[in-house]
Amino acid sequence: MKIRKITLFVFLLLSLTMMAQQTPVHFKVQQKQTSPSEVEVIFTAKIDKGWHVYSTGLPADGPTSATLHTEKAEGAQPVGKLMPRGRELNVDDNIFGMKLRYFENSVSFIQKYKITGKTYNIKGYLEYGACNDEMCMPPTSVDFNYKGNGPADAPQATETTTEEDGAAAETADGAAADTAATAAGEETAASEAATDTAGVASGSDLWKPVIKELKAFDKGGAAENTSLLYIFLMGVVGGLLALLTPCVWPIIPMTVSFFLKRAKDDKKKGIRDAITYGISIIVIYMALALIVTAIFGPNKLNALATNAPFNIFFFLLLVVFAFSFFGWFELRLPSSWGNAVDSKAASTTGLLSIFLMAFTLSLVSFSCTAPVIGLLLVQAATSGDWVAPAIGMFGFALALALPFSLFALFPTWLKQAPKSGSWMNMIKVVLGFIELAFALKFLSVADLAYGWHILDRETFLSLWIAMFGLLGFYLIGWLKFPHDDADQKAMPVPAIMLGMVSLAFTIYMIPGLWGAPCKAVSAFAPPMYTQDFNLDTKTIEAKYTDYEEGMRAAARAGKPVMLDFTGFGCVNCRKMEGAVWTDPQVADKLMKDYVLISLYVDDKTPLKSPITVKTPNGSTRTLRTVGDKWSYLEETKFGYMAQPFYVTVDNNGNPLSGSFVYKEDIPGYLDFLNKGIENYKK
């Protein structure tokens, strides 16, 4: 069993590694001579699901536009602009404060050239940007080099060079001219950028690949193991809570007594039957988890965490479950189902009858267990791990089945067990508040994805403050629901204590309305940048944007380095900087304990001269800009190609604490930084 687990883990790790290194956009280039005096260069792309490629002509302070660069044109000249073909989507982006245009699934870009000579030779490259909901690829180029014959009466070919999508006449005073002026007028900056080829060409130790070493940190899947352990513990807690509801708790003594009486002369048989009953419960709920996984499939489960329609569905589902716990209505399966299974159990013998009795419990207790199971399965399914539903349901079923077996083993415990009463209804109401609070988390995912701004951070916190405040008032007896015990004058002491905890949590969240980080809820609340009113306007900026220069400074200061592979047009990079870096503890560590180096993979500053290099997959690539250089560093040294990408290294460029990608998880990011500091000191 252990070998199978290890094999499965290695297979998943290799799959994730291959996925991380594959390009999500697949281009094919061809030329098409439409007439004796005109030729088209056509770039056709297939885009992986979840990714998008940006269109042409986006503003300069936005993400990377699709742009054509003509490096050589003998006997030809570009005509007009680079033309996109496909279903273009227009989206308002609150990070950039502009409309962004992009393509999903597929797109074609076409550049026309007028043939002016007897022969022609056109050479250049298409540059484009691609992102998904969590990361962006560095600006990527697709080269082309075509030759052909023009009209017989045309003059001899002469060479011309143009820039920026063949629109020389149109953009001569635009971005291309600005770049040319910058390159000509700022020689110092250009020469600094042109330490350009130093590390790349010489094979400096700072550029030495550390992919295996990085995997050694990441492979333990500490986060994955923690996540699965969290899902399991959540399942156990859910099972214990479901156990204490009016649909399940009263059944325990009746069921255990039935098994013990059934085998009066053979006590061991009664105990054995009760244990079998408990195992049957586990099998039934585990089967439910496997059915969920089979219906959606591992790939779909991995995508649910960021899938907006599914998150809206989960939100509505949890709201319905919450209202059922509040007593607005009761979820019930047709009574005929339970009666049919119960009669079948009575007419059979052996293990099948015990299994059918367990199935009857599942049907009868549906109104109380369904909301708990629903919350658990939703959390597990959106965790990104396809085995999570099974792990969660195992924890739930184990907690639910354990009392049946324990009370069968120790029958005298039944006399000491608390009797059914109004306290069970109290548990249902508390679960209703918890379901409602969790529901907002899923609505928040959809809200961020579509940019509705109906649940920004202050709105989310206001709703949570109201919910947990009302929960506190309910637990101390100041709020009643219609189905509560009207004769109960005072709440139990444990309920009052829990009510005080809930009210204290409510007070803790109030400063968050003015920008306090509220780290206890940072994993649930929307990111800080969505908040309109924020008194904490702290921003964190790297002192160094050059790898070699920053590494030398870190060595002199005797500090570890935090490498930030980012981009001017990277939306999720800005989200991380606004939601995670601004946390006081994170900011303090980045500024005091680390040397922070931000490497912009879309920096258009030209290198002194283009460099042709080999990529890890054996193909060649031409580095033309500073951004190309940093994206090549990320790919060859760390084996990753998307942004944001964070890695802590020592003064020799060796990893200290694995890597971190887009995840607005302040506690996780702090652990990542603390581990780097700890290993550096060692």
Side-chain angles (χ1 to χ4, degrees):
M1 189 69 177
K2 191 174 180 181
I3 294 174
R4 287 178 63 190
K5 286 182 179 177
I6 293 172
T7 305
L8 178 62
F9 173 77
V10 171
F11 174 77
L12 289 172
L13 182 63
L14 289 173
S15 301
L16 289 171
T17 303
M18 290 173 66
M19 286 172 65
Q21 291 190 353
Q22 284 178 350
T23 303
V25 184
H26 315 277
F27 265 102
K28 287 184 179 179
V29 191
Q30 61 178 340
Q31 71 165 340
K32 181 181 179 183
Q33 193 158 350
T34 55
S35 73
S37 61
E38 192 172 77
V39 66
E40 291 180 345
V41 178
I42 304 170
F43 303 85
T44 305
K46 295 292 182 185
I47 307 167
D48 287 356
K49 191 172 182 181
W51 287 81
H52 54 261
V53 170
Y54 290 104
S55 188
T56 59
L58 298 182
D61 53 349
T64 303
S65 302
T67 309
L68 188 116
H69 301 263
T70 303
E71 297 177 311
K72 182 179 184 181
E74 293 180 359
Q77 62 184 32
V79 177
K81 298 188 294 183
L82 180 70
M83 299 300 295
R85 293 284 184 272
R87 183 170 174 267
E88 188 176 71
L89 302 175
N90 283 272
V91 178
D92 283 311
D93 189 273
N94 62 304
I95 298 295
F96 287 106
M98 64 178 70
K99 269 190 177 292
L100 295 182
R101 295 176 288 108
Y102 56 73
F103 299 89
E104 296 178 339
N105 301 319
S106 63
V107 65
S108 294
F109 296 103
I110 302 170
Q111 177 62 57
K112 290 184 178 181
Y113 287 88
K114 181 182 178 182
I115 303 172
T116 58
K118 288 184 179 180
T119 60
Y120 67 87
N121 182 3
I122 48 178
K123 179 183 178 183
Y125 61 95
L126 171 75
E127 184 178 47
Y128 68 91
C131 295
N132 66 8
D133 289 338
E134 295 187 357
M135 61 187 71
C136 292
M137 300 294 292
T140 311
S141 60
V142 183
D143 296 336
F144 69 93
N145 187 359
Y146 291 116
K147 297 178 181 179
N149 296 318
D153 57 349
Q156 204 64 31
T158 57
E159 181 176 349
T160 59
T161 57
T162 61
E163 277 288 337
E164 300 291 329
D165 22 294
E170 178 184 337
T171 60
D173 58 345
D178 290 342
T179 304
T182 302
E186 296 183 13
E187 228 171 273
T188 306
S191 66
E192 280 180 7
T195 52
D196 47 79
T197 61
V200 182
S202 66
S204 160
D205 283 346
L206 292 177
W207 286 69
K208 181 182 68 176
V210 291
I211 298 171
K212 289 182 180 178
E213 292 84 344
L214 194 62
K215 283 180 184 174
F217 280 106
D218 291 336
K219 78 173 182 180
E224 291 176 17
N225 291 338
T226 302
S227 176
L228 288 178
L229 179 62
Y230 167 75
I231 292 293
F232 173 75
L233 293 176
M234 188 177 173
V236 171
V237 171
L240 292 174
L241 289 172
L243 191 67
L244 300 175
T245 58
C247 313
V248 181
W249 186 258
I251 300 175
I252 296 174
M254 292 188 296
T255 307
V256 173
S257 299
F258 169 78
F259 282 123
L260 293 176
K261 288 175 183 176
R262 183 178 174 181
K264 232 178 187 181
D265 301 328
D266 188 355
K267 235 177 198 179
K268 287 184 179 178
K269 185 178 184 303
I271 293 171
R272 189 165 60 248
D273 286 350
I275 292 174
T276 305
Y277 182 74
I279 292 172
S280 298
I281 293 172
I282 294 174
V283 170
I284 289 166
Y285 284 107
M286 284 286 287
L288 176 62
L290 293 174
I291 289 169
V292 169
T293 306
I295 290 172
F296 291 110
N299 293 332
K300 179 60 72 176
L301 286 176
N302 285 334
L304 288 185
T306 54
N307 186 288
F310 268 106
N311 277 276
I312 294 171
F313 170 74
F314 293 152
F315 162 72
L316 295 173
L317 183 71
L318 294 183
V319 168
V320 169
F321 286 156
F323 287 162
S324 75
F325 271 153
F326 288 151
W328 192 358
F329 53 83
E330 189 172 352
L331 296 170
R332 282 187 179 277
L333 290 173
S335 57
S336 57
W337 292 13
N339 295 335
V341 176
D342 193 31
S343 61
K344 188 71 176 174
S347 63
T348 56
T349 57
L351 293 177
L352 180 59
S353 67
I354 296 173
F355 181 82
L356 290 173
M357 285 182 66
F359 196 64
T360 304
L361 169 72
S362 305
L363 296 176
V364 170
S365 63
F366 176 80
S367 61
C368 292
T369 57
V372 181
I373 293 170
L375 176 60
L376 177 63
L377 284 177
V378 166
Q379 281 289 102
T382 54
S383 70
D385 196 320
W386 64 275
V387 299
I391 296 293
M393 289 305 290
F394 175 70
F396 176 88
L398 183 66
L400 195 66
L402 203 57
F404 292 95
S405 301
L406 288 176
F407 285 135
L409 288 170
F410 308 101
T412 55
W413 288 6
L414 275 172
K415 296 177 183 178
Q416 301 170 5
K419 305 298 180 186
S420 303
S422 59
W423 59 273
M424 290 184 173
N425 183 67
M426 188 190 307
I427 288 175
K428 284 182 67 175
V429 173
V430 171
L431 284 173
F433 278 109
I434 293 172
E435 296 257 351
L436 208 54
F438 269 94
L440 290 181
K441 174 193 171 188
F442 297 101
L443 179 60
S444 174
V445 173
D447 180 60
L448 290 169
Y450 288 116
W452 295 329
H453 300 292
I454 60 173
L455 201 63
D456 288 344
R457 188 173 184 269
E458 67 272 19
T459 309
F460 183 96
L461 288 177
S462 297
L463 290 169
W464 266 39
I465 288 167
M467 286 178 196
F468 284 96
L470 289 173
L471 174 59
F473 292 147
Y474 175 78
L475 287 171
I476 63 177
W478 291 2
L479 176 69
K480 292 285 185 182
F481 280 77
H483 57 297
D484 284 325
D485 188 353
D487 298 330
Q488 188 174 19
K489 295 180 180 179
M491 299 295 281
V493 174
I496 294 173
M497 298 302 292
L498 288 174
M500 291 173 62
V501 170
S502 183
L503 290 173
F505 182 56
T506 302
I507 296 169
Y508 163 80
M509 288 188 288
I510 291 174
L513 299 174
W514 290 272
C518 294
K519 287 180 284 185
V521 298
S522 61
F524 300 95
M528 190 72 76
Y529 72 83
T530 64
Q531 185 147 330
D532 296 329
F533 184 62
N534 186 359
L535 294 177
D536 185 6
T537 56
K538 183 189 296 181
T539 57
I540 306 299
E541 292 184 5
K543 186 177 179 181
Y544 301 97
T545 56
D546 180 272
Y547 177 55
E548 287 88 355
E549 181 188 359
M551 292 297 287
R552 287 193 295 269
R556 288 194 298 269
K559 291 182 178 181
V561 172
M562 219 287 283
L563 291 177
D564 163 35
F565 287 94
T566 183
F568 296 114
C570 173
V571 175
N572 289 321
C573 300
R574 302 295 86 79
K575 289 181 181 179
M576 286 292 289
E577 291 159 14
V580 179
W581 281 16
T582 52
D583 176 79
Q585 283 186 276
V586 173
D588 192 59
K589 291 191 180 299
L590 288 176
M591 293 291 97
K592 293 181 180 178
D593 298 329
Y594 278 94
V595 170
L596 177 61
I597 306 175
S598 289
L599 303 175
Y600 290 84
V601 299
D602 53 0
D603 187 341
K604 301 300 183 187
T605 306
L607 296 175
K608 189 174 182 180
S609 59
I611 318 162
T612 300
V613 294
K614 279 195 174 182
T615 62
N617 60 15
S619 61
T620 58
R621 176 183 172 187
T622 302
L623 309 182
R624 299 179 176 89
T625 65
V626 172
D628 290 345
K629 177 183 174 183
W630 302 144
S631 65
Y632 178 71
L633 171 68
E634 182 186 13
E635 180 185 8
T636 55
K637 185 173 178 67
F638 301 109
Y640 204 76
M641 292 177 62
Q643 292 76 47
F645 180 69
Y646 308 101
V647 60
T648 58
V649 297
D650 63 19
N651 302 134
N652 295 315
N654 298 311
L656 292 170
S657 60
S659 60
F660 203 96
V661 292
Y662 173 68
K663 188 178 182 183
E664 293 171 26
D665 176 10
I666 293 173
Y669 204 82
L670 278 171
D671 289 342
F672 163 69
L673 295 177
N674 287 331
K675 188 176 178 183
I677 295 168
E678 181 185 333
N679 287 333
Y680 183 79
K681 288 178 179 177
K682 288 180 182 178

